[in-house]
């Protein structure tokens, strides 16, 4: 669960409102080779999960779209804390999505630890109806 501890260590990192940009968020992009990103307003959930995986020596997508994690690890129907949750955004067929680290779920909600959730690293609930897949990356 090294990746979970790494992600928790970033809890509370958030975007800076205005013309300044959080250098920590820019580091997420830089480590995965996207040095061209110079603003913390660029969608960064995937950059955060890639950064966490790189730091934990786990497989990562290297891409900025959240759905790229659908090809990482193995799909699981019985998620455990630390697995990834990949969601659709706007509509199920859109290229847009969100990715976070599975924490727990209730009847209608999936709680994930992730980046760019309310413009910060935090735990947030997403509707189960938006889930595309759970992915085990630790095998």
């Amino acid at each position: 669960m090294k990746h979970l501890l790494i992600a928790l260590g970033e809890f509370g990192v958030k975007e800076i409102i205005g013309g300044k940009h959080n250098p920590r968020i820019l580091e997420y992009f830089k480590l995965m080779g996207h040095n061209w990103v110079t603003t913390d307003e660029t969608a960064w959930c995937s950059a955060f999960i890639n950064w966490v995986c790189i730091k934990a020596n786990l497989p990562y997508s290297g891409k900025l779209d959240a759905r790229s994690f659908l090809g990482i690890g193995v799909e699981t129907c019985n998620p455990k804390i630390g697995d990834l949750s990949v969601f659709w955004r706007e509509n199920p067929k859109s290229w847009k999505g969100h990715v976070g680290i599975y924490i727990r779920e209730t009847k209608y909600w999936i709680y994930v630890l992730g980046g760019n959730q309310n413009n910060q690293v935090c735990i947030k609930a997403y509707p189960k109806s938006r889930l595309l897949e759970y992915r085990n990356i630790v095998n």
Side-chain angles (χ1 to χ4, degrees), residues 9-112:
E10 299 297 297
F11 201 92
V13 170
K14 59 182 151 186
E15 294 176 17
I16 299 172
I17 297 171
K20 294 188 178 184
H21 305 287
N22 189 323
R24 188 59 166 186
I25 294 171
L26 299 179
E27 174 61 28
Y28 302 152
F29 292 102
K30 184 178 179 182
L31 185 64
M32 57 183 287
H34 293 281
N35 296 339
W36 58 270
V37 177
T38 59
T39 171
D40 61 10
E41 281 93 31
T42 302
W44 54 278
C45 71
S46 183
F48 175 71
I49 297 298
N50 273 288
W51 181 88
V52 167
C53 290
I54 291 167
K55 291 286 189 179
N57 199 29
L58 290 171
Y60 61 96
S61 75
K63 298 179 181 176
L64 295 180
D65 61 296
R67 289 181 183 224
S68 64
F69 279 92
L70 292 171
I72 303 301
V74 294
E75 183 178 7
T76 181
C77 295
N78 300 304
K80 294 179 177 59
I81 191 168
D83 287 342
L84 298 183
S85 302
V86 183
F87 302 94
W88 58 267
R89 205 163 44 102
E90 291 186 7
N91 71 65
K93 296 192 188 305
S94 168
W95 64 271
K96 296 178 180 178
H98 184 70
V99 61
I101 300 170
Y102 178 88
I103 300 298
R104 72 180 191 98
E105 63 187 274
T106 63
K107 185 174 181 182
Y108 299 108
W109 301 96
I110 301 166
Y111 292 80
V112 298

Side-chain angles (χ1 to χ4, degrees), residues 106-125:
T106 63
K107 185 174 181 182
Y108 299 108
W109 301 96
I110 301 166
Y111 292 80
V112 298
L113 169 61
N116 205 20
Q117 298 182 159
N118 296 331
N119 299 326
Q120 64 184 315
V121 177
C122 65
I123 295 173
K124 184 176 176 182

